[in-house]
Amino acid sequence: MSDPQQQTLNLPSLIFVVIIVGLSIRYFFFSSSSSDTRSSNRGRGADPVQVDQLQQMFPQLNRRDIQWDLQRNGGSVQATTERVLGGRGLERPPPSFQPIQPPSSTPTRPAPPPPKSSHPDLITRYNLTSRIVASLQPQGSAPEEEVAKPQVAWSQNKAERQALLQKRREDMVLTARRKMEEREREREKGKAKEV
């Protein structure tokens, strides 16, 4: 019934044939796309986000060296980090390596100077010129009356509280101004005595 010259396939040879067929299919149909991916990774350079990340972790490294290493290892931040932490350092890129420079975030022209304030001092900002003029005319008793007034308790009305705080702020500005003017007068008197 069975002819001795007829050959049969045994299990190991069948497995070997399946593996060879699978590898050949993979080689012919999928090798071109994987080589394209590898070449495109090497040709386009390193991702600027990855370079910035490594630059922040290792500020002593040169940006160009980081880009070269990322391009060599296919963009693996982990491999570059391990190389630096292992103490091996990064290789110097060849002179022909020209990394892609990220667009600069700083403008090329100088920034305009900040706008000047429309109210250069506190007196004009809080409109206290009328109170200064009023305090200059009756030079004697006005400031003492303000100090002698008893402090008003904290009001429940928001508008009254705001008015009270604004008055306190104005009084503080005017008091500081008076003290500054007194110091300037004393300095002028001291200079006049020296001369």
Side-chain angles (χ1 to χ4, degrees), residues 114-127:
K116 293 184 178 180
S117 175
S118 60
H119 302 292
D121 60 5
L122 295 176
I123 303 298
T124 55
R125 180 181 289 170
Y126 297 125
N127 296 325

Side-chain angles (χ1 to χ4, degrees), residues 3 7 15 33 35 40 42 49 58 74 87 89 92 112 117 134 139 152 164:
D3 192 271
Q7 294 188 357
I15 291 174
S33 64
S35 66
S40 67
R42 290 199 181 253
V49 174
F58 307 106
R92 292 274 177 211
S117 175
Q139 191 70 336
V152 180
L164 178 66

Side-chain angles (χ1 to χ4, degrees), residues 47-145:
D47 185 18
V49 174
Q50 293 174 336
V51 174
D52 290 338
Q53 182 182 15
L54 285 167
Q55 184 78 43
Q56 288 174 355
M57 289 192 307
F58 307 106
Q60 75 274 12
L61 295 178
N62 187 356
R63 185 174 185 86
R64 188 168 183 258
D65 295 345
I66 294 171
Q67 288 176 337
W68 171 249
D69 194 68
L70 284 174
Q71 184 173 349
R72 282 185 59 232
N73 65 27
S76 175
V77 174
Q78 182 179 5
T80 302
T81 304
E82 287 177 6
R83 188 171 292 120
V84 171
L85 291 177
R88 293 176 289 189
L90 300 180
E91 293 180 11
R92 292 274 177 211
S96 62
F97 175 67
Q98 298 298 323
I100 299 171
Q101 297 296 328
S104 63
S105 61
T106 58
T108 55
R109 57 189 167 103
K116 293 184 178 180
S117 175
S118 60
H119 302 292
D121 60 5
L122 295 176
I123 303 298
T124 55
R125 180 181 289 170
Y126 297 125
N127 296 325
L128 300 176
T129 53
S130 60
R131 289 191 59 186
I132 292 175
V133 172
S135 67
L136 290 177
Q137 290 175 354
Q139 191 70 336
S141 63
E144 295 170 4
E145 292 174 2

